[in-house]
């Protein structure tokens, strides 16, 4: 009677909180939509990044804003795991590993972008960076939502590894900024493919309310 | 992490220079890279520097001489880069070329309803934009020791700051702006002001414009004094400005004084007017100085009436007022037909059509 209705409602409400591990009443309809939403977010961010990168690289000045600029990656510790990965390796990733890689990468990228925002000299840059960071934060949360609705634990650990070296001079710092934006761009391209792949695996619009009907 | 792995080292690294100065920079390649001085070249902001300005200082060291440096192309610094022959980047140095700041000038401040203070200023020279210049607005109460620093910048343009609270009345403030960049510091003159002398407020609310009975040349304007200051003793001054719908010329009524209503006279009948009102909180707490005018209220529109006789006259079929005019026009058109060729379409019928069109277009305009 009433208890059943209340229990169903509570279950549905709780299942929509991304921070909680999946309960027995999984709504797979929600997961499919979450994956679509995450995919859409990566496309949106990709679009936003074009304007942000354009503005930022102009601030760094030539040659950083030249289209064919391709500096060597000097021997410095990589701050973010590269998005570029062997094709077979990428295909063979489990859903959990795929999602975890995305989650870790964007958590770190968000951290570095926020640091950039703290140093940005012009009001326009601060405004654009601030807006982008908010959207990137939404992407991180969205990925977390997908992971918990599929029952995967969120990767633990600090979002930025300790002892990441700061560039010793202003020119090398500009190079670091350039590579950060490049890495961000590459990750967004890759994530679109990651989420497209995940979309195909989770059947859409299947509402399976698996409730343990004890004592009702 | 050691930096010995860097391909080359530039000296000086990230220098700051005055506009017009000269610089000799050197690029020394690391022995691990097996490059010689002749294998190197320089670029500045992506443009290759002429080999005539190079000088070999050693087997692995190439220098470049730059003279009469212009202000930096971007505030993040000019990019001076040492390349290997194939174009690869070996090292770079950011050049900051500019001028020390000059004293900021023209500090003006205003307080909204005595609750806060916003100040703006102008940089001393245009030359300050080559380098990033930091501005700090400071203030302190006269006769009391502590300096305070304003925190919220850019609220009213790039050179502005907003102090949102903890402001004292009745004691003057000393306010000044400090400008600093890589080349130096400059402090503006100190201005002294009393918050009560620079008060502004919101525009008057509830502005209503209405007709005065049937009077064709008058409109009555009514408004409420701004709510925020209603508890404070002040004799507000008001100003009204109005214009005809099609014109961009505002007429200003200046001597409105302390009332909250006013009658506009000498207006055109049957015309739409736009009216705005603004307020000056003059004489707050007995201050003898004028305050600062608020923004204008949003424009309110109203139209003057057009008398019935005139309305009837628009009807081409009747109206005594226009019969003399019509008679004369008819005679004129008759004469035109006789004496001017190619004007055969001109006639009283065309004139009537024009009057009908005129009446229609007046109606739609009055519906604003």
């Amino acid at each position: 009677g009433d208890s059943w209705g209340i229990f169903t409602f509570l279950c549905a409400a709780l299942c929509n909180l991304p921070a909680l591990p999946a309960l027995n009443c999984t709504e797979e309809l929600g997961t499919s939509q979450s994956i679509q939403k995450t995919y859409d977010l990566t496309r949106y961010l990709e679009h936003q990044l074009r304007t942000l990168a354009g503005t930022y690289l102009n601030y760094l000045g030539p040659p950083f804003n030249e289209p064919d600029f391709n500096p060597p990656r000097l021997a410095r510790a990589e701050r973010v795991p590269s998005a570029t990965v062997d094709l077979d390796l990428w295909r063979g990733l489990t859903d959990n590993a795929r999602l975890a890689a995305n989650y870790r990468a964007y958590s770190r990228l968000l951290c570095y972008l926020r640091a950039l925002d703290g140093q940005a000299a012009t009001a326009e840059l601060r405004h654009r960076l601030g807006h982008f960071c908010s959207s990137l934060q939404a992407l991180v949360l969205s990925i977390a939502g997908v992971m918990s609705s599929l029952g995967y634990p969120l990767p633990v650990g600090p979002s930025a590894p300790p002892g990441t070296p700061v560039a010793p001079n202003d020119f090398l710092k500009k190079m670091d900024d350039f590579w950060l934006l490049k890495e961000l761009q590459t990750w967004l391209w890759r994530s679109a493919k990651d989420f497209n792949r995940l979309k195909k695996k989770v059947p859409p619009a299947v509402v399976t309310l698996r409730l343990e009907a004890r004592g009702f | 992490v050691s930096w010995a792995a860097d391909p080359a080292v530039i000296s000086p690294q990230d220098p700051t220079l005055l506009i017009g100065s000269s610089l000799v920079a050197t690029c020394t390649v690391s022995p691990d890279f097996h490059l010689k001085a002749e294998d190197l070249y320089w670029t500045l902001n992506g443009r290759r520097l002429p080999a005539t300005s190079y000088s070999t200082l050693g087997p692995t060291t190439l220098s470049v001489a730059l003279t009469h440096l212009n202000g930096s192309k971007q505030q993040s610094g000019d990019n001076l880069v040492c390349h290997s022959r194939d174009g690869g980047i070996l090292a770079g140095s950011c050049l900051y070329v500019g001028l020390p700041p000059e004293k900021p000038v023209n500090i003006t401040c205003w307080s909204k309803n005595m609750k806060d203070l916003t100040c703006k200023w102008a940089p001393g020279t245009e030359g300050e934009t080559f380098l990033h210049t930091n501005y700090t607005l400071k203030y302190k109460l006269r006769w009391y020791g502590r300096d305070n620093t304003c925190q919220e910048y850019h609220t009213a343009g790039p050179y502005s700051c907003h102090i949102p609270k903890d402001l004292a009345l009745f004691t003057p403030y000393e306010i000044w702006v400090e400008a600093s960049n890589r080349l130096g510091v400059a402090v503006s003159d100190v201005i002294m002001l009393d918050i009560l002398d620079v008060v502004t407020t919101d525009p008057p609310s509830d502005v209503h414009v209405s007709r005065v009975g049937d009077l064709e040349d008058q409109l009555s304007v009514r408004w409420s004094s701004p709510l925020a200051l209603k508890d404070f003793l002040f004799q507000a001054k008001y100003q009204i400005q109005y214009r005809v719908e099609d014109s961009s010329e505002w007429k200003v009524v200046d001597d409105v004084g302390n009332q909250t209503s006013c009658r506009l006279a000498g207006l055109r009948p049957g015309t739409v007017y736009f009216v705005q009102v603004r307020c000056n909180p003059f004489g707050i707490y007995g201050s003898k100085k004028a305050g600062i005018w608020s923004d204008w209220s949003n424009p309110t529109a109203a139209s003057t009436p057009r008398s019935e006789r005139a309305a009837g006259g628009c009807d081409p079929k009747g109206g005594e007022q226009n019969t003399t005019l019509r008679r004369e026009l008819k005679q004129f058109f008759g004469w035109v037909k006789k004496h001017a060729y190619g004007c055969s379409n001109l006639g009283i019928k065309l004139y009537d059509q024009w009057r009908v069109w005129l009446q229609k277009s007046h109606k739609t305009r009055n519906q604003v």
Side-chain angles (χ1 to χ4, degrees):
Chain A
D2 271 350
S3 324
W4 178 265
I6 293 171
F7 183 76
T8 318
F9 167 76
L10 279 173
C11 231
L14 288 171
C15 283
N16 280 319
L17 294 173
L20 291 177
L23 304 176
N24 275 339
C25 46
T26 318
E27 271 196 45
E28 281 180 11
L29 167 66
T31 307
S32 173
Q33 281 181 339
S34 292
I35 294 177
Q36 180 64 48
K37 199 182 79 164
T38 314
Y39 172 83
D40 291 340
L41 260 171
T42 62
R43 300 312 305 272
Y44 172 67
L45 277 163
E46 203 194 319
H47 172 78
Q48 252 194 292
L49 181 60
R50 265 180 246 143
T51 323
L52 173 65
T55 313
Y56 200 84
L57 293 176
N58 280 339
Y59 170 70
L60 296 183
F64 294 95
N65 58 357
E66 280 161 9
D68 54 354
F69 184 58
N70 189 24
R73 282 196 102 142
L74 302 174
R76 284 166 55 67
E78 286 209 337
R79 300 193 286 178
V80 181
S82 180
T84 317
V85 80
D86 175 70
L87 182 62
D88 290 326
L89 204 75
W90 179 77
R91 276 215 207 103
L93 285 172
T94 61
D95 292 347
N96 190 4
R98 193 178 300 280
L99 285 163
N102 272 268
Y103 183 82
R104 270 196 219 97
Y106 288 118
S107 301
R108 289 235 205 118
L109 285 163
L110 180 60
C111 208
Y112 291 124
L113 268 181
R114 282 196 173 130
L116 220 65
D117 190 4
Q119 306 145 359
T122 72
E124 188 203 0
L125 270 179
R126 269 194 302 272
H127 175 76
R128 285 197 198 274
L129 274 167
H131 186 48
F132 192 87
C133 282
S134 305
S135 308
L136 193 55
Q137 165 94 72
L139 178 62
V140 173
L141 287 173
S142 195
I143 299 172
V146 172
M147 289 185 85
S148 58
S149 74
L150 288 175
Y152 300 132
L154 286 182
V156 290
S159 43
T164 318
V166 175
N169 65 55
D170 294 350
F171 187 79
L172 284 177
K173 166 130 201 338
K174 285 192 180 185
M175 294 270 264
D176 281 352
D177 293 351
F178 173 83
W179 282 117
L180 178 64
L181 292 171
K182 256 285 175 286
E183 205 54 65
L184 191 48
Q185 184 180 57
T186 318
W187 261 108
L188 288 169
W189 283 340
R190 168 169 154 186
S191 293
K193 294 183 174 47
D194 280 323
F195 287 99
N196 219 8
R197 202 177 175 82
L198 284 165
K199 248 198 297 187
K200 296 180 180 144
K201 288 181 135 196
V202 175
V206 171
V207 189
T208 53
L209 269 176
R210 289 183 268 117
L211 300 164
E212 300 218 13
R214 278 206 204 111
F216 288 100
Chain B
V1 179
S2 93
W3 299 105
D6 277 350
V9 170
I10 291 186
S11 175
Q13 182 72 56
D14 310 333
T16 303
L17 304 146
L18 276 171
I19 291 184
S21 51
S22 303
L23 174 72
V24 174
T26 62
C27 177
T28 307
V29 192
S30 159
D32 306 334
F33 278 76
H34 307 294
L35 285 167
K36 291 175 284 185
E38 346 16 311
D39 300 325
L40 310 175
Y41 72 92
W42 293 91
T43 61
L44 180 63
N45 288 328
R47 282 232 192 94
R48 190 166 182 145
L49 291 169
T52 46
S53 58
Y54 301 171
S55 184
T56 307
L57 297 185
T60 55
T61 305
L62 182 71
S63 78
V64 66
L66 302 164
T67 55
H68 305 107
L69 286 167
N70 289 322
S72 284
K73 193 171 185 295
Q74 53 275 337
Q75 283 192 355
S76 65
D78 292 322
N79 300 312
L80 179 66
V81 183
C82 175
H83 300 258
S84 60
R85 196 204 299 266
D86 61 358
I89 292 181
L90 301 172
S93 177
C94 294
L95 309 182
Y96 301 96
V97 189
L99 297 167
E102 280 189 24
K103 294 185 348 175
V105 293
N106 298 343
I107 304 178
T108 48
C109 304
W110 62 93
S111 169
K112 191 89 179 289
N113 303 322
M114 298 179 292
K115 292 233 163 66
D116 63 8
L117 191 69
T118 307
C119 294
K120 63 179 172 86
W121 60 91
T125 57
E126 260 188 51
E128 279 159 39
T129 53
F130 293 118
L131 300 174
H132 173 65
T133 305
N134 226 346
Y135 295 92
T136 309
L137 182 100
K138 293 206 173 148
Y139 58 103
K140 73 185 259 288
L141 282 168
R142 201 176 193 207
W143 310 309
Y144 296 84
R146 240 169 45 98
D147 284 2
N148 298 291
T149 308
C150 179
Q151 308 288 339
E152 291 174 30
Y153 289 85
H154 320 299
T155 53
Y159 305 109
S160 65
C161 198
H162 177 241
I163 305 164
K165 56 186 178 128
D166 298 334
L167 288 165
L169 303 175
F170 309 116
T171 305
Y173 272 97
E174 293 181 0
I175 301 178
W176 66 97
V177 179
E178 297 176 2
S180 79
N181 66 22
R182 285 169 191 266
L183 282 168
V185 180
V187 182
S188 72
D189 293 333
V190 177
I191 64 159
M192 199 119 66
L193 60 78
D194 195 320
I195 304 278
L196 291 179
D197 291 337
V198 293
V199 181
T200 185
T201 184
D202 311 293
S205 50
D206 303 327
V207 178
H208 291 298
V209 185
S210 46
R211 292 178 174 183
V212 184
D214 289 330
L215 296 172
E216 291 177 356
D217 66 334
Q218 296 186 22
L219 285 174
S220 162
V221 190
R222 263 175 233 286
W223 60 88
S224 313
S225 59
L227 284 168
L229 294 178
K230 70 174 164 58
D231 296 328
F232 305 103
L233 292 164
F234 73 107
Q235 325 154 295
K237 279 199 299 188
Y238 296 98
Q239 243 185 17
I240 302 176
Q241 70 174 7
Y242 63 94
R243 67 175 171 88
V244 182
E245 185 176 8
D246 317 330
S247 158
S248 52
E249 252 186 68
W250 290 98
K251 284 218 181 76
V252 179
V253 181
D254 227 336
D255 46 0
V256 182
N258 201 8
Q259 317 122 269
T260 54
S261 67
C262 178
R263 213 185 261 196
L264 304 173
L267 307 177
R268 262 198 269 152
T271 317
V272 175
Y273 282 89
F274 291 153
V275 181
Q276 294 179 302
V277 190
R278 68 178 180 174
C279 174
N280 185 319
F282 174 70
I284 276 216
Y285 282 133
S287 159
K288 296 283 188 319
K289 291 198 187 160
I292 297 176
W293 287 104
S294 73
D295 289 333
W296 290 105
S297 63
N298 283 330
T300 310
S303 65
T304 45
R306 176 189 291 281
S307 80
E308 279 183 21
R309 279 203 336 168
C314 279
D315 183 353
K317 292 246 155 71
E320 334 146 25
Q321 240 191 348
N322 285 332
T323 41
T324 343
L325 176 62
R326 288 196 87 233
R327 217 183 297 132
E328 212 173 88
L329 267 174
K330 249 187 169 160
Q331 289 169 347
F332 170 68
F333 290 138
W335 179 91
V336 163
K337 270 203 175 119
K338 261 204 222 149
H339 296 268
Y341 302 91
C343 285
S344 50
N345 284 336
L346 217 52
I348 199 69
K349 285 223 177 87
L350 194 65
Y351 172 68
D352 289 340
Q353 277 177 12
W354 176 74
R355 299 254 26 205
V356 170
W357 172 87
L358 196 65
Q359 186 194 13
K360 277 200 192 131
S361 71
H362 261 304
K363 269 209 185 121
T364 44
R365 275 198 269 148
N366 280 348
Q367 271 161 22
V368 170

